[in-house]
Structure formats: C-alpha cells, structure tokens
Amino acid sequence: MLKRSFALGLAAALVALAPQPGFAQDKSITVFAAASMKNALDDVNAAYTKATGVKVVASYAASSALAKQIEEGAPADVFVSADLKWMDYLIDKKAINAGTRVNLLGNKLVLITSKDSKIGDVKPGQGFDLARLAGDSRIAIGEVTSVPAGRYAKAAMETLGMWATAQPKLAMADNVRAALLLVSRGEAALGIVYATDARVDPGVRIIGTFPDGSHPPVTYPVAATTNAKPEVAGYLAFLRGKTARDMFEKYGFTMLAVRPST
C-alpha cells in the first residue's frame, strides 16, 4: 500500500512538472517603440496577435530612453526609433541585428496650438517670427539634445532663422507626447510635434507644417535586437505588409519599408 501511494504521488509530481499545453504554446515578443507610434502600433500589434496568436508587449517612450534601456540589457526583441541616430547608436553597441534593419515609416513635423486658441494658420518659412506668435506663453517641443522630435524641431528652427529668438520660450519635454500634452492642456501656446501626434489628440489643431528641407527627413527605422526571439522574423514581416500599411497610413504615417543603403 505504501509503495502504491508513493508511486501515485510520484506520478502526480511528474504531471505537475511537465509543460502544460496552454502554457507551452504561449508566445510573446517585446517591442520598444517611439512614443509617437503608440496609437498606430497598438492597432497593428492587436492585428498581429489576432492573426498569429503571438502576444506583443509594447513599451513606449522617447527613442533615446529606450535605446539606453536596451544598451543596459532590457529584454526587448524589437526596437522602433523615431530617428536614425538612436538605431545607429545601438548598432554601434552591437545590440541590434543590423541585417534586420528597415526604414519603416516617415512623418511630418508640424506646428500646433490648442483647439480653442485664436491663433490662425501660418506658413513656417525663412525668417518666420515664431517667438512673437507664442506671445507671453511657451513653445512645447521634445528635449533637443536627445529626443528625436526635439532635434528635428531645433534643426527646422535653425534652418529657418527662428532658433535664437524662440529658444528662451521653449518648454522641453521628455518625449513628443509630453510636448503634445502641454499644448492640449493649454500650458503652452504652441508646440512642434509630428503630424501623427496632432491627429490623435482632439485638444490640438495643426496651424502649419515645416518644409521638408528645413530638417532631416523624419524616419522610423525598425530592427530586431541581437537577443530577439525567433518569432520576431514574422513580426517584422507583418510590419511591412498590407494590413500594417493600411493602419499606419490611417494615422498619417508614410510607409517606407526600405533597407538603408550601406
């Protein structure tokens, strides 16, 4: 009887330790993506999970912050940056599988104000007086030394001769969505963000678009990290497919999906 009880107990223990079907089949990948991608990428990720059963866990922040986290060993499978610099940075650090890199999306840089503002449409151009337009208030942008949106904004202001007078009025935020929020809440009269950001916040409206030549092209590269799970190959392919394209374009992104020249 004792031997039989021991055998039954051992069998039960082995069953408990064995992989259970539901858990064995669970798969997930972790994506670190620029804050400006949140709404569109959430939709794309949901569609990918529905099609494949693979769960996507997304973390959104400034590309600079995400790149530093990946460099320090954060368990990301995919990185989507809002500019080329931070992708290049991680490639130099051997944290990115360079062969998987694709320039996925493009965007526009726009000038916004709150929906209730009396400021009308303008045409940012050479010598445009951005500081005067802001009046006694502030101009919200991403931090200009690290946040891609901030760097694009600074480049545009320098090219168009606005930087010197506008700089004292800048309210620099940790990421582009934080800058968007300052304008939406009325804490800043103006903001410089991506066109896709302005489209998802009903509290703001676009009053002008910066000329393409005034700043480097807004480009979103995507790549797998060096420690990425096997499922990432299918995810990267999905990002370049028609379903994802339609969703990205609905939010105002331009589909690029081209490999950078070497």
Side-chain angles (χ1 to χ4, degrees), residues 21 51 53 80 155 171 186 222 237:
V80 193
V222 59

Side-chain angles (χ1 to χ4, degrees), residues 140-201:
I141 64 172
E143 207 283 322
V144 298
T145 63
S146 59
V147 178
R151 286 207 305 269
Y152 290 128
K154 181 182 179 183
M157 286 187 281
E158 287 180 332
T159 299
L160 300 175
M162 308 174 188
W163 176 252
T165 55
Q167 186 179 8
K169 296 189 176 184
L170 298 180
M172 299 190 198
D174 290 340
N175 60 67
V176 70
R177 286 296 173 92
L180 178 73
L181 194 58
L182 287 175
V183 180
S184 183
R185 289 177 173 174
E187 296 173 25
L190 301 171
I192 302 175
V193 300
Y194 302 124
T196 54
D197 295 308
R199 289 180 62 163
V200 299
D201 189 334

Side-chain angles (χ1 to χ4, degrees), residues 10-34:
L10 180 60
L14 290 173
V15 170
L17 290 172
Q20 299 301 306
F23 294 104
Q25 294 174 11
D26 282 350
K27 294 181 180 180
S28 67
I29 58 175
T30 300
V31 177
F32 279 20

Side-chain angles (χ1 to χ4, degrees), residues 120-139:
D121 290 348
V122 296
K123 188 174 182 179
Q126 193 65 44
F128 179 78
D129 198 342
L130 185 63
R132 182 178 179 181
L133 188 66
D136 296 329
S137 188
R138 299 185 296 170
I139 305 164

Side-chain angles (χ1 to χ4, degrees), residues 49 69 81 147 170:
T49 298
Q69 290 173 29
S81 174
V147 178
L170 298 180

